[in-house]
Amino acid sequence: MILDGKTPTGPIEKTWDKHRFDMKLVNPSNKRKFKVLVVGTGLAGGAAAASLGELGYNVEAFCYQDSSRRAHSIAAQGGINAAKNYPNDGDSIYRLFYDTIKGGDFRAREADVWRLAQVSNNIIDQCVAQGVPFARDYAGYLDNRSFGGAQVSRTFYARGQTGQQLLLGAYSALSRQVKAGTVKMYERTEMVDLVVVDGVAKGITCRNMITGEIKSYWGDAVCLATGGYVNVFYLSTNAMGCSVTAAWKAAQKGAYFANPCYTQIHPTCIPQTGDHQSKLTLMSESLRNDGRCWAPKNKEDCDKAPGDIPEEDRDYYLERKYPSFGNLAPRDIASRAAKEQCDDERGVGPGKRGVYLDYATAIERVGEHTIKERYGNLFEMYEKITDENAYKRPMRIYPAPHYSMGGLWVDYNLMSNIPGLFVLGEANFSVHGANRLGASALMQGLADGYFVIPYTIAGYLATVTPGTVTDEHPAFKESKEQVQAQTDKLLNIKGKKTVSEFHRELGKVMWEDVGMARSESSLKNALQRIPEIRDEFWKNVNVTGSGAELNQQLENAGRVSDFLEFAEVFTIDALHREESCGGHFRTEHQTDDGEAMRDDENFAYVAAWEFKGAGKAPELHKEPLKFDNVKLAVRSYK
Amino acid sequence: MDLTLHVWRQSGPKDKGQLETYPAKGISPDMSFLEMLDEVNEQLIKTGKTPIVFDHDCREGICGTCSQTINGKAHGGQDRTTVCQLHMRSFKDGDEIFIEPWRARAFPVIKDLIVDRTALDTIMQAGGYVSCHTGGIPDGNAHPIGKPVADYAMDAAECIGCGACVAGCPNSSAMLYTSAKVAQLAVLPQGKHEAKARVKNMTDALQAEGFGNCTNHLECEASCPKGISVKFIAKLNREYMKAVVS
Ligand SMILES: Cc1cc2nc3c(=O)[nH]c(=O)nc-3n(C[C@H](O)[C@H](O)[C@H](O)COP(=O)(O)OP(=O)(O)OC[C@H]3O[C@@H](n4cnc5c(N)ncnc54)[C@H](O)[C@@H]3O)c2cc1C
Ligand code: FES
């Protein structure tokens, strides 16, 4: 099937304004009759729940943490983009739009990206009004820095904790609505099923993570803002609880999953120290503004202390390969380059999976004091984890899975192919194409939550009668029974391997075969291994305890079982996409000097997969991408 | 290294709970404290025992989910470090480690090391916000905010809401937590208009939720993994006086 993204037509700079005018509205006195469920209270969900509650809808919001303030948005360090052009350095909505399309390697929808760039400025205003303490200059104006390969300074930040401050802003708006009674908050409540009635999303089924009770909630619309899925790699920069579960339950009920193979590997993470490792810690990308990446030129030098390797025996590989961008080359390029050094057996540190990020030159140039002022907290964090002082000895870094550009397919209104099911933030696939630029995810989450969904959901709700289906409907009972059956099944296997062992095994396959560089043979190998692991999981997993209690093993088992199904569709997508673009690098499709080769003639489309059951071939639906406002070009950072 | 753990086990809110002893063998100094517990849990599962439950999520010291009292100290007592960022290299072979949940009347134990911190959210809901609408907001640069003020607000805003200040305080007071938000918003032009109502409502909520009073032990600042300063409590007191006196 050819999918329709329902993008408005006409001059791009008018599309969003015109669309807002064309959409139906819900009469203010009717709003409270509509119940909207918002799953997830990160930047996207928190902003959405607060804004919809304030508009007068009857909102119920859910998160798996013990407080809505703890969503993984909290961990974002670097900053948030907006086209304010405060520094007067040539930024504009058009430039932010263009950079995002180009950064995404021409695999995103133009109109969605335009809208994002357009509302980016409102986001900054909104957050300032909430009391978000962005960095300021001495005159009291908002400060900007350049970030992640952008040639203008458009990134707003709050020390190294931008995500935290933005999330606390959204959390404060949400708290205000909870107090006002427009939003009912359900913490420690995990969505484990989507309820669909006659093809329309009408509710969710959740597990109360304290009592284990399985309960359904009905709504006239369901918004999923449940974050990304890179924990499919086991080790990633995501929080331990991040999972594909909510999105995957929707996929099991017919929602299409778009571009799952587009995942971002972040170049500057602290390398793994051993098998005990449970997660990887990101070091902000801003570190590359002053740090220089290098690896020893000779294998024999890898075990030497870095200070004992003379200048001429160091390979500053990014500066060598990309003279004009150097250490600021985009994430996918920097990550692959680090991997190349290590594959060439010139890596450093435990397991030889690491390269150096060196501040000696910068310290010489601007002094240790300035470096401390810029990155003090990051150096401190590095020292806590590695016990090494990065002022004296170069940091060791290695790429790690970080962000998922793919996600549930949505149209311009953020509605999936299931009417009534909206998807926001990292959970959808919409604006980042095949690669996301730094500081653009926070922007997208808040754009979706504050400024897009409040309009587009009205366009949908105005076409339905509120409360026609409630949890009395048999579909809810059926959903609960299904969840209960799944829980019982997991608990009754009583096998020999722990849930973590399976997750680690899956992660290893995904990282090695479907990670930074993918080939037909590695992908085929993964397609053989994943079902094997999944089959063994269902025969041999040991989930301790019972369903009717706080049971972290059971929570985790549910998430891993979903990853085991999802991973296969992910790999199929990677295999089918016979090109290299953004975060998706197929070794067969590269130039002689190792650069990615896109195939616009055959692959300028969104691949949306319809799940048909575990082990069955999913069906591919395509949404062709048209570019009327930018010229398709080879993404070069040389 | 090999360690001996004494871990608080409590099957539910009604259970009395007790410490139980487990060996932790072959622990690498590079492990984080939570990775050490993961390892112990894998062993417990393999030997047919019930794994220990504990709260955690980001494992990088920012979400504020992890919450354990280690050897009597919130987060283990290392300067500006959450338990998820505490590494085993700060212990040595043969150590005995006591692991308990946050202890406070306002934080009832749910199970093992997991407590209920809903009261912290309730305090925020009482007034920890600026009542601005979504949209219809002037430009972000419309009201310049001097760097010292912005920095002061940011110092306060760094609170991760973990509750270590409560766990560390002999009175189980949540004054540091509350004051950080009151102070952040009181100094910003956006927050000034509601400052009086905010400080009153939030302190009322603090008392209603069963937190104790502040008697200047300063254990909160010492326990805080973000180093939030007690100067914000002084600020809260001043704001409170302004609100009730004038
Ligand atoms: C370490 C790190 C640093 C980053 N730095 C930056 C940066 O500097 N700039 C930038 O722009 N982006 C950055 N990003 C990316 C950005 O932070 C995220 O993409 C973004 O915050 C995602 O927001 P979200 O609201 O979509 O999801 P999240 O914040 O992940 O929220 C997901 C929500 O869904 C809930 N949830 C999930 N599953 C379920 C379920 N089954 N049932 C109930 N609830 C559920 C969770 O409880 C949570 O509330 C960073 C990411 C990481 C990991
Ligand atoms: S787990 Fe997030 S702060 Fe420790």
Side-chain angles (χ1 to χ4, degrees):
Chain A
M1 185 170 79
I2 300 293
L3 282 169
D4 179 6
K6 304 215 179 72
T7 43
T9 48
I12 191 140
E13 57 285 353
K14 301 242 165 63
T15 40
W16 176 231
D17 298 340
K18 180 168 174 303
H19 188 68
R20 277 195 301 177
F21 181 75
D22 289 345
M23 267 183 304
K24 293 205 173 91
L25 296 172
V26 176
N27 182 312
S29 59
N30 279 341
K31 286 206 179 87
R32 70 190 146 74
K33 297 183 193 149
F34 287 97
K35 187 145 97 167
V36 180
L37 307 183
V38 180
V39 190
T41 57
L43 287 184
S51 303
L52 295 172
E54 187 182 39
L55 282 169
Y57 295 107
N58 177 1
V59 178
E60 293 182 357
F62 304 80
C63 71
Y64 72 74
Q65 291 92 346
D66 71 325
S67 163
S68 53
R69 68 178 287 154
R70 306 203 200 281
H72 199 52
S73 292
I74 202 105
Q77 301 168 352
I80 177 166
N81 287 333
K84 286 281 195 189
N85 192 30
Y86 287 154
N88 198 29
D89 58 357
D91 203 6
S92 62
I93 292 174
Y94 185 83
R95 190 177 295 281
L96 177 53
F97 158 75
Y98 179 79
D99 287 355
T100 308
I101 292 274
K102 176 186 169 204
D105 224 355
F106 305 93
R107 289 293 175 266
R109 240 186 243 145
E110 279 190 341
D112 296 45
V113 176
W114 182 275
R115 174 175 63 193
L116 174 70
Q118 184 181 343
V119 304
S120 68
N121 292 337
N122 303 86
I123 296 172
I124 301 304
D125 304 339
Q126 187 67 38
C127 296
V128 167
Q130 290 167 345
V132 170
F134 283 121
R136 302 222 168 217
D137 62 22
Y138 281 95
Y141 293 107
L142 290 158
D143 195 23
N144 290 112
R145 63 179 170 205
S146 107
F147 197 72
Q151 284 168 314
V152 292
S153 291
R154 61 159 74 101
T155 304
F156 295 77
Y157 63 102
R159 290 200 189 135
Q161 293 112 293
T162 316
Q164 179 199 26
Q165 294 310 314
L166 298 176
L167 183 63
L168 293 182
Y171 165 74
S172 73
L174 184 58
S175 297
R176 177 170 159 251
Q177 295 309 317
V178 171
K179 177 77 178 172
T182 62
V183 179
K184 167 100 187 75
M185 193 58 228
Y186 294 90
E187 294 94 356
R188 293 201 201 262
T189 307
E190 185 164 20
M191 167 181 162
V192 285
D193 198 18
L194 178 76
V195 183
V196 178
V197 177
D198 299 330
V200 180
K202 287 292 178 190
I204 60 173
T205 298
C206 295
R207 182 170 179 275
N208 178 320
M209 294 160 75
I210 299 177
T211 62
E213 188 197 4
I214 292 161
K215 196 172 166 210
S216 288
Y217 302 82
W218 67 271
D220 296 295
V222 178
C223 300
L224 297 189
T226 46
Y229 55 73
V230 287
N231 271 351
V232 69
F233 292 101
Y234 183 62
L235 287 182
S236 84
T237 64
N238 279 11
M240 303 300 288
C242 292
S243 76
V244 77
T245 289
W248 194 246
K249 295 306 180 191
Q252 288 174 338
K253 290 293 170 81
Y256 301 162
F257 213 108
N259 302 334
C261 79
Y262 293 160
T263 44
Q264 181 166 77
I265 313 291
H266 197 291
T268 50
C269 301
I270 302 177
Q272 187 177 352
T273 53
D275 282 339
H276 56 258
Q277 193 104 13
S278 59
K279 78 155 276 164
L280 295 168
T281 302
L282 174 87
M283 305 289 289
S284 169
E285 180 148 45
S286 59
L287 284 171
R288 285 196 286 143
N289 288 342
D290 285 302
R292 298 176 71 198
C293 296
W294 63 274
K297 274 188 187 157
N298 312 310
K299 279 182 212 170
E300 306 75 55
D301 286 348
C302 293
D303 289 319
K304 285 192 189 157
D308 294 343
I309 305 175
E311 207 48 41
E312 63 272 17
D313 287 338
R314 301 175 175 193
D315 178 12
Y316 293 92
Y317 55 90
L318 285 175
E319 296 166 30
R320 168 171 59 81
K321 294 180 64 158
Y322 307 98
S324 72
F325 273 72
N327 292 294
L328 291 175
R331 291 178 178 177
D332 51 332
I333 291 177
S335 292
R336 263 197 316 277
K339 178 176 188 290
E340 275 167 24
Q341 312 311 308
C342 299
D343 288 351
D344 197 28
E345 295 177 30
R346 293 183 292 108
V348 296
K352 299 277 185 305
R353 303 311 284 181
V355 292
Y356 289 122
L357 181 62
D358 199 332
Y359 286 84
T361 318
I363 291 176
E364 213 168 284
R365 192 180 66 236
V366 296
E368 187 171 316
H369 176 75
T370 311
I371 294 298
K372 191 171 253 165
E373 217 171 63
R374 287 184 191 157
Y375 314 107
N377 62 333
L378 296 167
F379 279 55
E380 220 177 86
M381 180 161 93
Y382 181 78
E383 184 161 3
K384 250 178 214 161
I385 295 176
T386 61
D387 208 21
E388 286 175 12
N389 178 347
Y391 296 103
K392 302 273 175 275
R393 185 193 170 102
M395 282 183 182
R396 285 175 296 109
I397 54 164
Y398 199 65
H402 174 58
Y403 182 85
S404 41
M405 282 75 71
L408 290 176
W409 183 86
V410 289
D411 63 16
Y412 185 70
N413 294 318
L414 302 185
M415 189 159 89
S416 72
N417 59 302
I418 300 181
L421 177 69
F422 292 80
V423 191
L424 284 62
E426 192 172 338
N428 74 25
F429 87 105
S430 67
V431 290
H432 305 296
N435 175 50
R436 172 179 72 81
L437 291 181
S440 286
L442 300 179
M443 170 171 73
Q444 183 218 344
L446 291 180
D448 289 358
Y450 286 131
F451 298 113
V452 179
I453 195 73
Y455 293 93
T456 58
I457 206 167
Y460 169 74
L461 290 173
T463 65
V464 304
T465 316
T468 43
V469 174
T470 69
D471 49 0
E472 312 276 283
H473 191 281
F476 286 82
K477 188 160 167 264
E478 215 174 281
S479 164
K480 277 189 290 192
E481 282 168 2
Q482 198 186 321
V483 171
Q484 187 63 56
Q486 163 102 353
T487 307
D488 295 344
K489 192 169 159 197
L490 284 168
L491 289 165
N492 287 330
I493 299 168
K494 299 200 196 308
K496 296 230 159 9
K497 273 163 82 172
T498 62
V499 179
S500 308
E501 284 174 294
F502 282 103
H503 196 177
R504 212 173 282 152
E505 216 170 311
L506 172 69
K508 193 154 184 282
V509 171
M510 294 304 286
W511 181 237
E512 276 166 16
D513 290 341
V514 200
M516 257 184 288
R518 305 154 176 176
S519 69
E520 184 179 332
S521 77
S522 78
L523 293 168
K524 287 195 165 148
N525 183 49
L527 283 177
Q528 195 181 337
R529 286 291 294 132
I530 296 163
E532 284 169 10
I533 301 173
R534 190 172 58 225
D535 288 347
E536 199 202 335
F537 175 88
W538 286 108
K539 289 195 192 98
N540 196 26
V541 73
N542 181 9
V543 186
T544 51
S546 77
E549 61 175 338
L550 194 160
N551 186 341
Q552 293 178 325
Q553 293 298 316
L554 179 62
E555 291 161 16
N556 215 5
R559 293 170 193 158
V560 172
S561 74
D562 291 325
F563 277 134
L564 283 166
E565 283 184 4
F566 167 69
E568 193 167 9
V569 177
F570 181 135
T571 310
I572 289 171
D573 185 40
L575 183 62
H576 115 283
R577 191 164 280 278
E578 289 277 359
E579 65 165 349
S580 294
C581 59
H584 171 64
F585 190 79
R586 284 286 302 267
T587 53
E588 301 90 340
H589 303 286
Q590 56 180 318
T591 60
D592 291 340
D593 51 355
E595 297 307 315
M597 268 164 66
R598 245 177 31 226
D599 177 355
D600 293 329
E601 200 160 319
N602 295 304
F603 288 97
Y605 62 78
V606 177
W609 298 92
E610 181 178 354
F611 182 64
K612 301 274 187 185
K616 300 208 178 96
E619 188 181 342
L620 174 62
H621 303 282
K622 295 181 183 176
E623 181 197 337
L625 291 168
K626 284 203 306 286
F627 296 92
D628 298 325
N629 298 278
V630 296
K631 224 174 99 251
L632 286 167
V634 176
R635 202 171 63 117
S636 166
Y637 292 91
K638 289 233 157 177
Chain B
M1 58 183 144
D2 296 339
L3 308 157
T4 306
L5 309 184
H6 305 278
V7 186
W8 186 259
R9 303 303 306 259
Q10 182 174 339
S11 61
K14 297 215 175 74
D15 181 21
K16 249 180 70 214
Q18 74 287 327
L19 284 168
E20 279 181 22
T21 304
Y22 306 104
K25 292 218 162 75
I27 299 302
S28 147
D30 287 331
M31 283 181 180
S32 71
F33 197 83
L34 300 186
E35 283 165 352
M36 181 274 293
L37 284 179
D38 290 343
E39 187 62 38
V40 170
N41 271 343
E42 293 287 295
Q43 293 312 318
L44 288 177
I45 296 170
K46 297 268 176 197
T47 51
K49 301 207 178 90
T50 317
I52 305 154
V53 298
F54 55 92
D55 258 332
H56 66 104
D57 202 26
C58 76
R59 294 202 174 188
E60 50 185 270
I62 191 73
C63 73
T65 310
C66 61
S67 43
Q68 297 175 20
T69 305
I70 299 165
N71 293 336
K73 299 257 188 218
H75 289 302
Q78 198 176 85
D79 190 35
R80 292 164 58 97
T81 306
T82 53
V83 46
C84 61
Q85 290 290 74
L86 183 65
H87 280 71
M88 294 314 292
R89 66 178 77 91
S90 44
F91 297 88
K92 54 181 194 317
D93 190 48
D95 273 359
E96 307 236 345
I97 307 178
F98 289 81
I99 311 172
E100 293 171 85
W102 280 173
R103 300 281 187 201
R105 179 149 56 107
F107 293 161
V109 172
I110 295 173
K111 187 174 178 181
D112 294 348
L113 304 173
I114 296 185
V115 300
D116 181 351
R117 287 174 287 189
T118 317
L120 295 180
D121 285 327
T122 310
I123 293 174
M124 280 305 157
Q125 287 153 13
Y129 41 77
V130 175
S131 302
C132 60
H133 304 283
T134 302
I137 303 275
D139 187 84
N141 262 345
H143 304 286
I145 300 171
K147 189 168 173 1
V149 173
D151 284 347
Y152 177 96
M154 184 63 204
D155 287 343
E158 289 196 29
C159 167
I160 58 172
C162 62
C165 48
V166 179
C169 173
N171 305 337
S172 300
S173 171
M175 204 64 121
L176 188 64
Y177 166 83
T178 309
S179 72
K181 191 50 73 184
V182 166
Q184 177 202 343
L185 297 180
V187 296
L188 294 173
Q190 297 85 345
K192 282 206 159 105
H193 310 289
E194 296 169 285
K196 284 185 184 171
R198 177 181 308 116
V199 68
K200 267 203 92 265
N201 292 340
M202 288 181 77
T203 36
D204 286 351
L206 178 82
Q207 274 157 359
E209 290 300 315
F211 292 101
N213 274 324
C214 171
T215 48
N216 295 324
H217 285 270
L218 312 192
E219 286 291 338
C220 51
E221 182 180 316
S223 309
C224 176
K226 294 293 137 177
I228 306 284
S229 161
V230 290
K231 74 179 180 196
F232 299 120
I233 297 184
K235 175 75 176 162
L236 180 143
N237 286 332
R238 273 200 305 281
E239 289 293 316
Y240 189 81
M241 288 313 286
K242 274 201 279 185
V244 293
V245 172
S246 56

